[in-house]
Amino acid sequence: MNIAVVTREFSPLTRNGGIGTAMRCLCEFLAVEGGHAVTVYYTGRPHPGMALFAEAMRRRGLRFRPVVSLPGLLLRDPVRRSRKAFSVLVGAQHDVCLFHEFMADGLFCLRTRRRGEGLTDMPMGVVTHGSSLWVDEGNGCVSGEGKRRELYAMERECCALADFLVSPSRYLLGWMRERGWTLPRDTRCIPNFTALPGSVPPRPDGAGQDGTVELVFFGRLEERKGVRVFCEALALLSPELLSGRRVTFLGKEAGFRAADVRAMLARQTAAGLQLALLTGLGPDEARRYLCAGRRLAVMPSLRENSPCVVAECLESGIPFLASSVGGGRELAREEDRNNVFCVPETTALAERLRRALQDGNLPAGRPAHTRETLFAQWQELLREQALQAA
């Protein structure tokens, strides 16, 4: 099939972004494993190395086409960006098109097709990653008016107008239905790919057997990812347990800056805690860091859809402790869930961290799905869309 993928994020142009990681890996699986012709229409931030990146993608079997304005004006106007995506796609020939609901880049295409005015022969699907409303609820900053409120409605409409919808978690489907969203009849749950075909970095044999346990906060430094909960949990641990121990923050700055984290942990660092902030690593670099040494990844998110960080830890056998909220639990085998998931609440998290540090037994889990199974589900979905369009 000839597949168009419209995405605002694409790894590694978008660093430390779950959407970018998931969309890049999906595109490569479709092209490399499935033999499909895949064109990526990138609507994200302009990058000076985009021409070189496009050539690198061509060598990997992907056509990469930026849909951006050089000053970045499209980034600030979802309506203009959606119209621009339509103007590019209307002159192209594809068998199917995939959008994500975040930022509503597919809305004008979907509206035009619904009116019978263009793109009527191309099935269009939405791959959900969490809408702006879902993100803002998690960060406690929902807007009641203005352009942000308009964007909420645009993203919701994208889901309603799609021919099919794929969510990486049953949790997110439930969230949308609870709020009265209209979803396509063909709505499926297929977890994300979080590593390129054939490239899951394994945890070396014997890694983590010796040395002091290092705690690693794994995720963006923002409220929704549980930065404050993690810091407050550390404050409940005894100084003796933390003295001389390294705690690392592995994720890019967002709502919190490095200085904010240092301020929250000033008392602990004064008592001997060794604090490190690694805010510039990409997904592969971050995973390699966690695979080395005796490290426990901690992801106490207040809200999560289908967190890439959990999938990455499961795939590589990295010990972790993650939030039980959202769709993360769906990624692990049922018998492992109580070991690796925890309520994202300060006292509960502090107790689980204390147990891991005192006993030295680092919890690990196994993935509930193989990548072969996920790929087979995508192939079946695309086959069905081709039959319906014929």
Side-chain angles (χ1 to χ4, degrees):
M1 294 184 72
N2 190 325
I3 303 172
V5 177
V6 180
T7 178
R8 178 183 173 87
E9 298 187 11
F10 200 74
S11 178
L13 293 180
T14 309
R15 297 180 68 86
N16 304 97
I19 296 177
T21 297
M23 296 302 277
R24 166 74 183 275
C25 294
L26 173 60
C27 289
E28 293 228 9
F29 263 93
L30 294 177
V32 175
E33 299 292 330
H36 301 287
V38 178
T39 302
V40 179
Y41 294 94
Y42 176 68
T43 62
R45 188 174 301 280
H47 190 282
M50 232 178 292
L52 292 175
F53 182 75
E55 174 59 23
M57 290 299 96
R58 185 193 65 78
R59 292 195 296 269
R60 295 190 65 85
L62 298 175
R63 185 184 178 208
F64 182 83
R65 181 171 180 180
V67 184
V68 298
S69 61
L70 291 180
L73 296 176
L74 291 180
L75 290 172
R76 297 189 289 272
D77 190 335
V79 175
R80 182 187 295 181
R81 194 173 58 248
S82 176
R83 288 178 179 271
K84 180 65 173 178
F86 169 79
S87 71
V88 172
L89 285 171
V90 76
Q93 296 294 323
H94 297 288
D95 298 318
V96 66
C97 184
L98 301 175
F99 304 94
H100 51 71
E101 90 283 32
F102 182 67
M103 292 295 165
D105 287 348
L107 183 57
F108 200 75
C109 293
L110 290 161
R111 282 178 174 173
T112 302
R113 195 273 307 272
R114 176 59 62 91
R115 294 194 300 263
E117 298 174 357
L119 302 174
T120 54
D121 296 329
M122 183 170 62
M124 296 184 186
V126 165
V127 183
T128 66
H129 292 281
S131 66
S132 297
L133 175 60
W134 179 83
V135 171
D136 289 353
E137 280 189 5
N139 285 321
C141 58
V142 175
S143 176
E145 57 187 17
K147 290 186 178 296
R148 192 69 175 175
R149 190 73 175 183
E150 180 182 356
L151 179 60
Y152 298 160
M154 292 171 64
E155 293 169 334
R156 178 171 177 162
E157 188 178 352
C158 280
C159 295
L161 295 179
D163 294 307
F164 62 96
L165 182 143
V166 177
S167 171
S169 71
R170 291 184 294 274
Y171 153 76
L172 189 60
L173 293 177
W175 180 90
M176 291 187 285
R177 287 171 174 143
E178 286 173 2
R179 284 151 184 79
W181 288 35
T182 300
L183 302 182
R185 179 175 299 176
D186 188 352
T187 291
R188 311 186 186 200
C189 179
I190 307 177
N192 293 322
F193 298 105
T194 55
L196 302 180
S199 66
V200 175
R203 193 163 184 250
D205 292 338
Q209 293 182 359
D210 301 311
T212 303
V213 175
E214 174 185 343
L215 299 179
V216 183
F217 179 89
F218 189 22
R220 286 190 305 277
L221 305 187
E222 67 178 22
E223 192 73 42
R224 181 171 66 88
K225 295 296 184 179
V227 171
R228 194 186 307 276
V229 170
F230 180 67
C231 291
E232 291 176 351
L234 291 177
L236 294 181
L237 301 180
S238 67
E240 294 76 19
L241 197 57
L242 293 179
S243 180
R245 191 180 303 278
R246 179 179 168 110
V247 172
T248 301
F249 286 77
L250 190 59
K252 68 180 180 181
E253 296 177 321
F256 292 92
R257 301 296 181 185
D260 300 323
V261 174
R262 291 192 180 95
M264 285 190 287
L265 294 177
R267 183 170 62 85
Q268 285 70 38
T269 53
L273 176 70
Q274 299 175 10
L275 181 62
L277 291 110
L278 303 178
T279 58
L281 300 187
D284 290 343
E285 297 167 307
R287 197 189 300 212
R288 283 194 293 269
Y289 181 85
L290 289 169
C291 282
R294 199 173 187 205
R295 292 170 174 142
L296 176 67
V298 185
M299 301 89 84
S301 300
L302 306 182
R303 172 167 296 201
E304 279 290 6
N305 169 23
S306 183
C308 287
V309 290
V310 168
E312 289 164 358
C313 289
L314 288 166
E315 286 179 337
S316 293
I318 298 166
F320 73 93
L321 188 59
S323 170
S324 59
V325 172
R329 289 174 60 88
E330 300 173 29
L331 298 173
R333 294 188 190 181
E334 186 172 0
E335 58 268 30
D336 295 340
R337 292 172 184 172
N338 288 339
N339 293 330
V340 294
F341 294 99
C342 172
V343 176
E345 186 273 328
T346 301
T347 304
L349 179 60
E351 178 55 33
R352 294 292 292 271
L353 293 178
R354 179 184 294 109
R355 193 186 314 166
L357 296 179
Q358 288 179 340
D359 298 344
N361 296 323
L362 304 185
R366 294 163 294 175
H369 315 276
T370 67
R371 298 204 290 175
E372 291 76 14
T373 299
L374 303 183
F375 178 65
Q377 292 178 36
W378 268 105
Q379 288 285 74
E380 176 64 16
L381 169 60
L382 294 172
R383 186 188 69 82
E384 291 180 9
Q385 291 302 315
L387 289 174
Q388 293 176 20

